[in-house]
Amino acid sequence: MRIFLAVAFAMLTVFYGIYFAKQVAMRSAGIRPDRLGRGEKPRRVLLSERVLAAVTVLTAVGQYVTLLSGGRFLLLAAPHPAWQVAGSVVGTVGVLYFAVAVSAMKTNWRAGIDAGERTELVETGIYRFSRNPAFVGFDLLYAGFAMMWPSWPVIVLSVAAAILLHLQVLHEEEYLTARFGEAYRAYRRRTLRY
């Protein structure tokens, strides 16, 4: 069981470390990457982004609390080793997917919509296969962790985060269609959403 605690802790730390390292690197380049719930955008988008930001933070807190409790924090049942192995694989794939996606975006990466920032449409690398690989990375990390440590808070927050991430994808699709027009519509036709 200790090995799965270590694996889960490493998955979370690497994943969230990538997220925050990218934030710091972008800020040091004079780019404002954290746009969730900020800026000029429709009220429904602002609200959705603010709730998404809160839920993702709560999910991370719930994940770490579960690990710090030795994996005993409100577990539904004792995790089965087969589920923990499968969760380790799913979560690790999520971390790798996220890392590749964030890297491929270069300076175009943002958390949230920011109409004031001029970015390019990224269609290369992993973005040839998925329009939203960073979101896929989040979902795989959440699913993998929940498989390893099935607790009510983690499962509820992970499902809520997945729903909110999907809403964010829909908002971003509206924005990207307005921003890039036919180029984005063509990209949508040839590349899967997830």
Side-chain angles (χ1 to χ4, degrees):
M1 184 135 108
R2 288 195 190 282
I3 186 73
F4 294 113
L5 285 170
V7 168
F9 185 79
M11 281 180 354
L12 296 180
T13 303
V14 170
F15 186 90
Y16 296 124
I18 292 166
Y19 181 90
F20 289 114
K22 185 68 171 189
Q23 291 267 343
V24 169
M26 298 280 286
R27 282 191 193 115
S28 67
I31 299 169
R32 301 173 306 166
D34 185 7
R35 307 311 303 151
L36 281 174
R38 297 181 179 145
E40 296 295 320
K41 53 188 95 173
R43 185 176 174 89
R44 67 183 171 80
V45 175
L46 277 170
L47 177 60
S48 177
E49 286 185 351
R50 287 176 182 154
V51 174
L52 173 60
V55 168
T56 54
V57 167
L58 287 173
T59 302
V61 169
Q63 290 166 330
Y64 277 109
V65 167
T66 297
L67 295 179
L68 293 173
S69 75
R72 293 181 297 274
F73 181 68
L74 299 176
L75 287 181
L76 298 172
H80 190 279
W83 278 98
Q84 289 188 306
V85 169
S88 298
V89 171
V90 170
T92 300
V93 168
V95 172
L96 295 173
Y97 219 76
F98 183 74
V100 171
V102 168
S103 176
M105 285 295 282
K106 298 181 175 73
T107 60
N108 297 296
W109 182 75
R110 303 289 185 280
I113 297 169
D114 186 0
E117 291 278 337
R118 291 293 164 215
T119 59
E120 297 174 10
L121 182 60
V122 177
E123 304 175 62
T124 58
I126 197 168
Y127 287 86
R128 288 180 300 167
F129 310 105
S130 169
R131 297 192 315 262
N132 299 286
F135 290 104
V136 172
F138 268 98
D139 288 342
L140 290 173
L141 175 76
Y142 292 160
F145 189 90
M147 290 167 72
M148 294 176 75
W149 303 106
S151 69
W152 282 111
V154 166
I155 291 170
V156 169
L157 288 167
S158 295
V159 168
I163 291 167
L164 290 163
L165 287 167
H166 178 69
L167 287 175
Q168 183 64 25
V169 165
L170 298 178
H171 296 316
E172 289 184 8
E173 286 179 350
E174 288 177 23
Y175 165 72
L176 292 168
T177 300
R179 167 84 171 86
F180 294 106
E182 183 52 36
Y184 185 69
R185 283 190 283 277
Y187 176 53
R188 283 179 65 170
R189 285 191 294 271
R190 69 178 176 272
T191 308
L192 296 172
R193 177 180 281 156
Y194 295 110

